[in-house]
Amino acid sequence: SFNTTSITDNGTGDATITIVNDMSSTSYSVTQSVTFNHDGSGGLRGVNVVSKAAGTCQCEFTYANTSGQGTQLDLETDASITIHGDLA
């Protein structure tokens, strides 16, 4: 949680991370991962960056079933996000 003020739940599968010390620009990198679904259904969970600002990063958490149909979901498993870049 270094350099993180808060994580805001914007709705199902949508969260915004607020950064304590802003980045110098929106050219920072965001690396994200989510634990694979081990419940036997064969679906895949993912996380995508929706938008970035110097002080925030908005992410979307998704689930795709074996037919490829995707939907946003609140994660019941682990998700990790790291941000790398120059501070302002």
Side-chain angles (χ1 to χ4, degrees), residues 9-56:
D9 184 352
N10 302 318
T12 303
D14 185 0
T16 299
I17 298 152
T18 303
I19 301 167
V20 174
N21 297 304
D22 289 355
M23 296 300 189
S24 61
S25 71
T26 59
S27 296
Y28 57 87
S29 69
V30 179
T31 306
Q32 66 275 7
S33 68
V34 65
T35 303
F36 181 75
N37 175 15
H38 294 289
D39 68 2
S41 66
L44 180 65
R45 283 151 171 70
V47 58
N48 301 301
V49 174
V50 175
S51 65
K52 295 189 304 185
T56 61

Side-chain angles (χ1 to χ4, degrees), residues 52-67:
K52 295 189 304 185
T56 61
C57 175
Q58 183 180 3
C59 296
E60 169 188 68
F61 301 94
T62 58
Y63 170 79
N65 63 22
T66 55
S67 299

